[in-house]
């Protein structure tokens, strides 16, 4: 890989470095390297898909995450083989995808989806400092529901030992998105097919209290758009 | 990899084969190999995340798909390097994930998510037969909106040439899910923290007609739950 690292763009917008791996090969106009765009997608997405090789073969694992101070944090049981592979230094590609709409064109060929995605590359490392580990685990809880960790029992020493946390520096990768309606062949515009956009939204429903739960919800209980 | 292939279970339910790679290592009670469960998840999910190695390094690409007659079909531009890698025989892991809920426990440790996921393994191959290619492309359109392909212009020969379609036999993999509310430590049950479930649903919004579209929508125009 020929690294063409650019810590920031000409306008000094904080950016991910561009390498041969993150150079946008196709539809480059849909992509960017600005950290602000990357962070906004990471903030909204609830899960990521973590790719790595194990015994030379590819694996893709869905998992929750959080990002704090320029690191993406993942966690799992100490025995989780995916997390262990990452902790042992396996290269990873972490992809985060938000679906925004179905794009229905007059031609089958131009059907598409609106989305926002982030792809990050690198090698993760195990987090050993108990304070950083605790911060990461609480951040993962807060990433599910903002402020939630303040209304929980925090991890015990035993729970910390049972949990493997790894972190990936957010420095190599890119963001990509598609917006808008269908793009058509000019000669298709007169065809009598319906065309347009069907928006997609991941909705949070009404919270369902656990039967024996006695606390008051510490978050806004109305359904909200994620 | 020690393959312990089982085409079907003792009850003769059509199943994916179990191999060392698909043996559920953790929380095996959440998993299964039944084709019906796998197909139901593939039917509902709009995208998959495709993992493969390129020049020895992992990649995870989000993309649309369809499944027909025991094959998972993926498509992209003929120049798409991910699809080309698959067509050239790279091993792949394709993961499909549906999010069903946020599980809020009294302890940070027991926070979780409800989900349904499928993980498939194998080597894909390029689809060269134009009829199968066309069927796959229309199936991908119908997978976005049921019956949609009947209301579109079908792919031209030029469009078929510009598109790479690959197929992966659905025979090695597993499905997994988590359902229900939080699982707690007994000693946490008296804590005054709210606990419960926040459902997640990917909603389809009101279709937005393209300004110049003259057809009538060929699908149910009410917002529907995906």
């Amino acid at each position: 890989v020929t690294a063409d690292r650019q810590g920031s763009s000409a306008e000094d917008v904080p950016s991910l470095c561009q390498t041969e791996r993150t150079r946008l090969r196709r539809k480059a106009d849909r992509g960017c390297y600005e950290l602000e765009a990357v962070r906004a997608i990471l903030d909204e997405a609830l899960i990521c898909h973590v790719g790595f090789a194990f015994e030379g073969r590819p694996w893709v694992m869905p998992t929750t995450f959080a990002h704090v101070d320029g690191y993406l944090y993942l966690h799992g049981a100490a025995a989780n083989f995916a997390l262990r592979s990452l902790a042992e230094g396996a290269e990873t590609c972490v992809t985060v995808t938000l679906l925004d709409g179905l794009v229905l064109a007059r031609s089958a060929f131009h059907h598409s989806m609106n989305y926002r995605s982030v792809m990050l590359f690198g090698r993760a490392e195990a987090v050993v400092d108990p304070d950083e580990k605790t911060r990461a685990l609480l951040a993962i809880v807060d990433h599910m529901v903002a402020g939630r960790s303040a209304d929980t029992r925090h991890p015990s020493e035993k729970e910390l030992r049972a949990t493997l946390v790894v972190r990936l520096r957010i420095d190599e990768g890119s963001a990509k998105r598609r917006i808008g309606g269908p793009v058509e062949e000019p000669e298709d515009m007169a065809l009598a097919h319906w065309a347009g956009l069907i928006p997609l939204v991941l909705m949070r429903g009404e919270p369902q209290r656990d039967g024996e739960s006695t606390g008051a919800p510490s978050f806004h209980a109305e359904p909200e758009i994620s």
Side-chain angles (χ1 to χ4, degrees), chain A:
Chain A
V1 170
T2 313
D4 171 27
R5 295 195 167 251
Q6 298 178 221
S8 57
S9 74
E11 302 82 15
D12 210 34
V13 178
S15 297
L16 298 175
C17 68
Q18 293 177 43
T19 63
E20 176 58 24
R21 200 155 47 160
T22 69
R23 182 177 57 82
L24 295 156
R25 291 149 197 262
R26 294 188 46 75
K27 316 236 180 193
D29 55 312
R30 293 185 185 171
C32 81
Y33 302 92
E34 288 171 24
L35 268 177
E36 195 181 325
V38 168
R39 286 195 198 116
I41 294 168
L42 296 181
D43 281 341
E44 186 170 333
L46 288 167
I47 61 164
C48 61
H49 282 79
V50 181
F52 60 96
F54 181 69
E55 295 173 353
R57 308 172 90 174
W59 288 81
V60 178
M61 295 285 198
T63 188
T64 55
F65 70 94
H67 69 103
V68 182
D69 294 341
Y71 284 98
L72 187 87
Y73 288 93
L74 309 173
H75 82 307
N80 180 301
F81 92 99
L83 266 286
R84 287 174 70 102
S85 296
L86 295 194
E88 286 161 12
E91 261 196 290
T92 187
C93 170
V94 178
T95 299
V96 167
T97 310
L98 296 166
L99 295 183
D100 293 327
L102 303 169
V103 180
L104 277 53
R106 292 154 183 88
S107 61
F109 183 75
H110 283 296
H111 277 58
S112 186
M113 296 191 68
N114 284 343
Y115 66 90
R116 287 164 290 153
S117 68
V118 163
M119 208 176 277
L120 299 173
F121 297 94
R123 290 181 193 273
E125 59 189 342
V127 174
V128 287
D129 175 61
D131 291 339
E132 184 181 358
K133 210 165 161 179
T134 300
R135 271 199 307 277
L137 293 173
L138 298 181
I140 289 170
V141 166
D142 287 332
H143 187 220
M144 291 169 61
V145 175
R148 170 66 189 165
S149 70
D151 189 25
T152 63
R153 176 178 64 69
H154 286 196
S156 66
E157 276 185 39
K158 185 183 161 196
E159 287 169 344
L160 283 183
R161 277 196 304 273
T163 308
L164 181 54
V165 175
V166 304
R167 67 180 195 181
L168 173 69
R169 182 113 194 100
I170 300 174
D171 63 359
E172 185 184 355
S174 61
K176 212 166 174 183
R177 69 172 187 174
R178 187 197 187 282
I179 55 173
V183 174
E184 308 265 14
E185 301 299 326
E187 61 269 29
D188 289 337
M189 293 303 287
L191 296 177
H193 299 309
W194 192 90
L197 184 66
I198 302 180
L200 295 172
V201 184
L202 186 66
M203 296 283 292
R204 298 183 182 211
E206 192 69 36
Q208 299 166 4
R209 177 190 293 272
D210 186 59
E212 310 192 43
S213 163
T214 52
S218 59
F219 50 88
H220 196 246
E222 292 300 300
E224 53 171 321
I225 290 169
S226 165

